Amino acid sequence: MCRLTFTSGAVNGKKMIVQATNTGGDLGQNHFDLAMPGGGVGLFNACTNQWGAPPNGWGAQYGGISSRSQCDSFPAKLKAGCQWRFDWFKGADNPDVSFQEVTCPKAITDRSGCIRNGQTPT
C-alpha cells in the first residue's frame, strides 16, 4: 500500500492511497500505472474481453480518451470511474509522484480481498 503525492501536472499536490496488485514488465523503476476507466489499456488489454471495448480499448491504447464527454459511451459500471479521471485527476497523463508505504485501509482490503503479510488494515 502506498500513499502517492503527485508532484507535477494538473494534480500537483494531490494525494491518494493505492494498493499495488502487480508489477508490470513494461514499467520503469518507481513507476505506477493507475488502472482507471478511459486511461488506456496499455500492453495487456483486458477491457475488450471483460467490457466489450474496441480492440485497443477506448481512445488510444496508451493514454486513453481525451475528454470527459467520451465517458458517456462507456458501460454504466465504468462511467463514474471514467468521469473521476477528468474531475479529480484532471485528465493528467503520467504525472510525477513521490510515494511512501503505508498500512492498507480496511475500506480497500474489504473490496480487494488482499492484505499484505504482517499488516492489519486500519
Side-chain angles (χ1 to χ4, degrees), residues 25-102:
D26 63 331
L27 302 179
Q29 186 175 10
N30 292 333
H31 180 118
F32 289 86
D33 266 352
L34 301 176
M36 64 183 84
V41 295
L43 184 60
F44 303 107
N45 174 10
C47 290
T48 298
N49 289 340
Q50 187 172 2
W51 298 102
N56 288 325
W58 292 281
Q61 181 176 355
Y62 294 93
I65 61 173
S66 58
S67 70
R68 189 182 194 278
S69 64
Q70 291 175 289
C71 298
D72 295 344
S73 67
F74 280 48
K77 288 187 176 187
L78 299 180
K79 284 183 184 181
C82 183
Q83 292 164 345
W84 173 89
R85 177 176 177 235
F86 293 96
D87 296 343
W88 189 91
F89 202 65
K90 306 294 183 194
D93 185 20
N94 291 316
D96 294 329
V97 63
S98 64
F99 61 93
Q100 173 185 6
E101 185 176 335
V102 296

Side-chain angles (χ1 to χ4, degrees), residues 103-109 120-122:
T103 299
C104 195
K106 190 171 182 336
I108 292 176
T109 60
T120 302
T122 55

